[in-house]
Amino acid sequence: MSDRIRVHELSRELGLTNKELIHLLNEQGVEAKSHSSSIDPDDAEKIRGQIISDRQEKTPVILPVDIEEPEADIEEEDTDDDDEDEVTADGKKVIHLKPPIIVRDLANALGSKPNQLIAELMMMNVFAAINQVVEPEIVGKICANHGYEFVPERREKRAKGSAKKKEPAKKPAPKTVKKPTGGTQARPPVVAFLGHVDHGKTSLLDAIRESRVALGEAGGITQHIGASIAEVHGQTITFLDTPGHEAFTAMRQRGANATDIVVLVVAADDGIMPQTKEAIAHARAADCPIVVAMNKIDLPNANPDKALMGLQQNDVQPEDWGGDVGVVQVSAINGTGIDELLERILLEAEMLELKGSPQKPAEGLVIEAQLETGMGPTANILVRDGTLRVGDALLAGPFYGKVKALIDARGQRVKSAGPSTPVKVLGLSGVPEAGESISCAANEKEAKAISEQRARESRTGELETRQSATLEDLFRQITEESQATLKMILKTDVRGSLEAIIDSLDKIESEKIRLDIIHKSVGEITENDILLASASGAVVVGFHVRVMPSVQKTAKQKGVEVRLYSIIYELLEDIESAMRGRLEPETRETPLGNAEIKQIFEIHKTGKICGCVVTKGSIRVGASARVTRQNELIYNGTIHTLKHFKDDVKEMRAGQECGIRLDNFEDFEVGDTVEVFSVEKVAAQL
């Protein structure tokens, strides 16, 4: 009992959700913030004891049954833990048990005596007393030895008056067909695989979905965007198979962040490579949780510690080293760790509490589109929310159509597709680009009108250069967007320069604005840097590096500014200036004087003028003014004109009488106070 245990491991053992266990731990005074938090073994044992005690209070004590008559005795039980009515395809009976599972309850469910089960556990090097908890993995092996299939259940309360024997568990409905229902419902997570070009992204997906896509592709590199679905313990995961971060970023650039979770694939023999760093930057910029799949763990030259060190050096903190990012060691070749990877993805999805509304019209994005012989334009789309049905009027970027058919990830025709479901759509008027948004219109006529309007706007937009972010224009941009963050991509010639610049930038202190270096690395500026900057609204800064003409052309097309420097202090000065430009100028008011309204005059063709006595300071034409009545503000504007008798004057001082005409305000009364002040805008300080 010397090793600490993580929250998600204990929750799985006890059949609780992570949030339920965290709440329970906090009630007991044990600090646990997330599923990756680790707790003391003694605290874990107290929680186990509490759950078992709570369960035993609600469940009558059952004496061990005779092995000669297991069926009769088990039928009389009311443990609410087992169900022997279900039979698998291979003839095995199914046993449902709710963790935590103790030796006595497992023996009862199997129709065995506790002492026989204890002896069997000892043969497996598991030493347990009659009331001790048995881990779910061990329970599964024991059940298999007895000809049963073990299905763990959540610890849910049953409704009062429910029957003693449970109904057979219903099989989950296919995730590709969702019937509209009211309210929001949990939806499957959408997962993207990112990583270096040859670290095994596609092979790992093949291992998961048991297909061999990579074998038919040139050089083993994915040539298109696809999607697939995996069923894990009755739950669904949607995998978005992208050909790298270019497509991933292209979708984000169009405002369609398709992915809930990023699986970062890192080869155990190679460790962190340049494209791995780029993938980390893209995942961070998309604000997606990361799960690391350390692939090729089966190779003789695999070095997991080197890969973990590289992750930590790139701000990805592995759980095993005290961080919060799960790292699962896998092999796409022999299947090692695949189940653990899928379970970790489901764990992250549980913490995200992903929801969808099947009753809404469909919303989503195009993940791939093509012109197919005999089918016309087709689009592989991901329904992010709502439900898409055959017959719906669909908009996909500048194209439209009536949905003629929907084909799911298994190649079967379906009538509808719900949240987080990928389907192929037939019936569009053209081939949209990847990342284009999809939505439903009331009818085909409306869809056509919107489509034509989008096409006109698209043609107009091609003639203009979209400006993403420039140092000179930051003040205007931030005034419009109210942002208080300067995002930057930093590329340098050598590691020493990179560290020196980052160290200097870290010393720029400000409580008003944050400098966010979303990606930093050594080497020349690439098109990937431009794509990331375009999607994130960042400026690309290079120190002693070059920009190839093709990359510069891409930057101009995307409206991304690239700044190159050869002197560090010039770089730092420009960045400081840009950060100041991100802040609104500070407004300073300087009191000038006060006046009290004594009389009101009606002047023909001029309007009302208030006769005043200057009680303090001076009153000036053009100065800002407030009018207060019984200490309540009724006007905020400027002094339009000043009169001394019939003469126009520029200024009147304390003790003098004058006539004041305010700009666009005549609703003043005798006794009101006029406060006059000057307004000055000064550059904000960091």
Side-chain angles (χ1 to χ4, degrees), residues 157-470:
K157 295 181 180 179
R158 296 184 61 186
K160 291 183 179 180
S162 58
K164 288 184 179 182
K165 288 184 69 64
K166 297 175 3 182
E167 293 294 327
K170 294 181 180 179
K171 295 181 179 179
K175 303 298 179 184
T176 50
V177 180
K178 298 275 187 177
K179 292 184 179 180
T181 56
T184 59
Q185 300 177 6
R187 66 170 178 83
V190 180
V191 181
F193 279 58
L194 298 182
H196 195 63
V197 65
D198 60 352
H199 280 193
K201 298 188 297 294
T202 302
S203 297
L204 197 52
L205 270 169
D206 288 342
I208 291 172
R209 64 194 179 197
E210 297 182 352
S211 66
R212 304 308 299 168
V213 174
L215 294 181
E217 295 173 351
I221 300 174
T222 311
Q223 298 295 326
H224 64 279
I225 305 171
S228 54
I229 287 179
E231 297 281 345
V232 186
H233 305 313
Q235 296 176 272
T236 299
I237 302 174
T238 298
F239 290 100
L240 192 65
D241 183 11
T242 67
H245 10 282
E246 293 89 348
F248 180 81
T249 306
M251 292 180 184
R252 288 184 49 241
Q253 186 180 335
R254 293 187 175 94
N257 194 9
T259 312
D260 300 311
I261 298 167
V262 165
V263 173
L264 180 67
V265 182
V266 180
D269 59 333
D270 264 359
I272 306 301
M273 302 296 283
Q275 285 187 328
T276 314
K277 297 176 183 178
E278 292 176 358
I280 293 170
H282 284 259
R284 294 294 193 207
D287 197 25
C288 287
I290 294 175
V291 175
V292 177
M294 191 182 294
N295 195 21
K296 303 186 181 182
I297 199 67
D298 55 300
L299 296 181
N301 59 336
N303 190 344
D305 286 341
K306 176 187 174 183
L308 289 172
M309 177 65 74
L311 289 168
Q312 190 175 55
Q313 290 172 346
N314 285 273
D315 299 326
V316 177
Q317 306 299 334
E319 271 186 358
D320 292 344
W321 288 17
D324 58 358
V325 176
V327 179
V328 183
Q329 297 189 6
V330 298
S331 169
I333 301 301
N334 58 33
T336 301
I338 298 297
D339 290 341
E340 289 79 0
L341 176 61
L342 296 175
E343 288 172 3
R344 181 64 197 220
I345 291 171
L346 290 176
L347 173 64
E348 296 291 341
E350 178 187 323
M351 299 305 294
L352 290 173
E353 294 185 325
L354 303 170
K355 299 290 184 183
S357 301
Q359 77 281 4
K360 291 170 50 179
E363 298 174 2
L365 72 154
V366 177
I367 53 179
E368 181 187 38
Q370 54 277 314
L371 192 64
E372 296 188 54
T373 304
M375 302 176 79
T378 65
N380 291 357
I381 67 170
L382 176 68
V383 179
R384 290 293 283 163
D385 201 4
T387 298
L388 181 65
R389 300 176 180 83
V390 173
D392 282 350
L394 185 66
L395 282 158
F399 302 106
Y400 76 100
K402 185 176 180 180
V403 178
K404 294 180 180 178
L406 296 173
I407 301 173
D408 69 8
R410 301 173 182 85
Q412 301 173 346
R413 292 205 172 202
V414 294
K415 293 182 179 179
S416 60
S420 298
T421 304
V423 283
K424 177 180 284 189
V425 176
L426 282 68
L428 290 174
S429 60
V431 180
E433 294 185 25
E436 292 282 11
S437 62
I438 65 159
S439 58
C440 289
N443 50 58
E444 196 171 359
K445 182 179 179 181
E446 179 183 301
K448 182 179 180 181
I450 297 173
S451 170
E452 290 174 347
Q453 175 64 25
R454 288 181 179 178
R456 286 193 295 269
E457 292 174 355
S458 177
R459 286 192 293 269
T460 303
E462 288 175 358
L463 303 176
E464 301 174 355
T465 300
R466 182 176 65 85
Q467 202 66 18
S468 176
T470 64

Side-chain angles (χ1 to χ4, degrees), residues 450-518:
I450 297 173
S451 170
E452 290 174 347
Q453 175 64 25
R454 288 181 179 178
R456 286 193 295 269
E457 292 174 355
S458 177
R459 286 192 293 269
T460 303
E462 288 175 358
L463 303 176
E464 301 174 355
T465 300
R466 182 176 65 85
Q467 202 66 18
S468 176
T470 64
L471 291 176
E472 289 83 0
D473 209 23
L474 286 175
F475 172 67
R476 177 195 56 78
Q477 179 185 350
I478 299 315
T479 301
E480 294 174 357
E481 300 178 7
S482 299
Q483 294 179 346
T485 301
L486 173 60
K487 294 182 179 180
M488 184 175 77
I489 293 172
L490 178 61
K491 302 298 288 286
T492 65
D493 54 345
V494 294
R495 173 66 63 178
S497 298
L498 184 68
E499 293 173 353
I501 292 171
I502 291 174
D503 184 57
S504 298
L505 291 173
D506 287 342
K507 293 176 182 177
I508 301 176
E509 297 182 357
S510 175
E511 296 179 356
K512 302 175 183 178
I513 184 169
R514 182 171 64 93
L515 177 62
D516 184 7
I517 305 176
I518 62 174

